[in-house]
Amino acid sequence: AASDVYKRQASYVAMGREEHGRSAAQHALQIEPEFSLGEYAESQPYKNQSDLDCLLARLRAAGLNQ
């Protein structure tokens, strides 16, 4: 699922492997160029806002700033 791809990018960043996260983000954007970080955030069923905020921060660090 696409959600798994984005969570993998965030995991790379969390592990200090930002370059891998950025590479994965570039690849994902080639596949899904219409990706919206805001729409993605709205689709995630996180109970705690702080968990979602952490995920989004890591995705931004990977290069998904849309």
Side-chain angles (χ1 to χ4, degrees):
S3 179
D4 294 337
V5 171
Y6 298 115
K7 288 177 183 171
R8 186 176 322 123
Q9 294 165 11
S11 295
Y12 281 134
V13 172
M15 293 184 301
R17 299 176 68 188
E18 289 87 358
E19 186 173 321
H20 285 87
R22 284 190 296 273
S23 176
Q26 289 173 357
H27 179 70
L29 288 174
Q30 289 174 344
I31 295 168
E32 190 179 359
E34 70 282 353
F35 175 81
S36 163
L37 194 57
E39 288 178 15
Y40 176 76
E42 291 176 9
S43 74
Q44 298 305 295
Y46 281 87
K47 183 176 181 178
N48 296 315
Q49 183 64 39
S50 61
D51 293 337
L52 178 59
D53 291 343
C54 184
L55 172 64
L56 297 176
R58 290 175 177 161
L59 290 174
R60 285 184 191 98
L64 295 174
N65 296 316
Q66 302 171 323

